[in-house]
Amino acid sequence: MDRIPILRMGPFLLVTIQVDMHDKLALTLQDDLTSRISDVGARGVLIDISSLEIVDSFIGRTLANIASMSRVLDAETVVVGMQPAVAITLVELGMSLPGIRTALNVELGMEYLRQNTIVEGSGDGWDGSED
Amino acid sequence: MAGTVLKTEAVPVRSDADVVMVRQRVRAWVNEMQFSLVDQTKIVTAASELARNTLEHGKGGKLDISMLQNGYRKGIQLVFSDDGPGIPDVRLALTDGYTTGSGMGLGLSGSKRLMNEFYIQTEVNRGTTVSCIRWK
């Protein structure tokens, strides 16, 4: 597999990473996602990593890059489903993924995106303070 | 402190795909040795970081995986070796955030935290061997 599929659901893009990604595949995903965000004017990106058995510094950095790039393109990113063992390892490795919004599962992630990407006057939206 | 070597396996580290293979082989070993899930995740993550170092900084090399027995304890030893340019300043290379490549500078320092024992032998223009152990 040399590409990870990106699904569109209304204003959001959904990605489920189900393979053990080699580094180039992660970079391809980064490129594909940023182009898709700009092509379709996506407001949010949800990345499901519940199948990932490890997140090392490279994958962590790729996720952080995707979040930064989508923010610049006016889209929110939420990473969902990280396994507890992966979370423990990431923090011990020295990566706390600052700037990445996470949610426990797809449902909560979608809820977050819906609440934080509504256009104009939606009240207590995302204030962008977590830079 | 190494113990008796019960068995070993060599895995080449010459391409991106080999880094994935390293993760899979190390996973198979730690799973067979019945490490806890958290420990398995730590060991595989450390292996992934070190394999990438071997590939990017060492210009490729190999991994030797060994199962160790030290008294009543079993452990897994990972030895990454390359004939690359070596590390001029090991202490600097072990500093969080220090990088000569494009990464985050967490490869060596981070994987050291994920393992119980960690040794680096390096000589400029001769190569680098990183050896680490996690005991059960």
Side-chain angles (χ1 to χ4, degrees):
Chain A
M1 187 190 222
D2 52 6
R3 261 201 158 72
I4 293 173
I6 300 170
L7 306 179
R8 183 179 175 188
M9 198 173 116
F12 306 132
L13 298 177
L14 311 181
V15 176
T16 301
I17 303 173
Q18 286 178 325
V19 289
D20 195 351
M21 286 194 293
H22 54 79
D23 293 357
K24 284 198 192 77
L25 184 55
L27 292 176
T28 305
L29 174 65
Q30 182 179 305
D31 292 350
D32 287 353
L33 253 179
T34 41
S35 328
R36 277 299 287 281
I37 291 169
S38 122
D39 287 351
V40 307
R43 303 307 314 271
V45 176
L46 183 141
I47 303 174
D48 175 16
I49 60 165
S50 56
S51 305
L52 282 190
E53 291 181 329
I54 69 151
V55 172
D56 63 10
S57 64
F58 190 89
I59 298 170
R61 184 164 57 105
T62 307
L63 292 173
N65 284 348
I66 289 172
S68 308
M69 291 167 186
S70 62
R71 191 172 302 128
V72 173
L73 294 169
D74 196 22
E76 278 296 325
T77 300
V78 59
V79 171
V80 308
M82 184 183 293
Q83 295 180 14
V86 171
I88 293 168
T89 302
L90 256 185
V91 171
E92 202 158 315
L93 184 65
M95 286 198 97
S96 47
L97 299 183
I100 299 189
R101 187 71 211 194
T102 56
L104 272 185
N105 54 44
V106 175
E107 208 175 339
L108 293 171
M110 284 306 293
E111 196 180 307
Y112 170 81
L113 285 183
R114 280 198 204 96
Q115 283 177 358
N116 291 278
T117 56
I118 311 288
V119 245
E120 257 87 274
S122 60
D124 55 4
W126 176 248
D127 64 11
S129 62
E130 259 183 56
D131 280 337
Chain B
M1 237 353 88
T4 319
V5 175
L6 297 181
K7 61 172 187 168
T8 63
E9 177 184 342
V11 186
V13 185
R14 304 235 161 255
S15 68
D16 254 14
D18 286 345
V19 175
V20 174
M21 182 52 74
V22 162
R23 296 203 281 254
Q24 290 171 356
R25 290 312 303 149
V26 172
R27 170 74 68 180
W29 276 64
V30 291
N31 191 28
E32 187 192 319
M33 291 173 73
Q34 299 180 319
F35 276 94
S36 72
L37 181 59
V38 171
D39 282 354
Q40 286 189 26
T41 308
K42 288 180 181 178
I43 297 164
V44 175
T45 304
S48 183
E49 298 292 340
L50 295 172
R52 185 175 296 108
N53 277 354
T54 298
L55 185 63
E56 285 195 359
H57 302 293
K59 314 297 170 206
K62 64 166 180 151
L63 160 66
D64 290 294
I65 312 172
S66 304
M67 189 195 293
L68 304 180
Q69 177 98 46
N70 188 353
Y72 63 91
R73 285 199 307 179
K74 275 203 171 66
I76 185 162
Q77 182 182 46
L78 306 175
V79 180
F80 290 87
S81 46
D82 65 62
D83 307 318
I87 306 171
D89 187 338
V90 174
R91 187 176 298 187
L92 186 60
L94 273 167
T95 309
D96 264 357
Y98 174 78
T99 177
T100 54
S102 54
M104 309 200 55
L106 291 172
L108 273 186
S109 54
S111 47
K112 183 170 183 233
R113 280 192 292 272
L114 296 173
M115 301 297 280
N116 296 136
E117 297 183 33
F118 197 90
Y119 311 97
I120 300 176
Q121 273 183 305
T122 183
E123 206 177 321
V124 172
N125 296 327
R126 298 294 287 274
T128 301
T129 300
V130 176
S131 167
C132 56
I133 301 174
R134 178 117 196 161
W135 296 103
K136 239 190 106 181

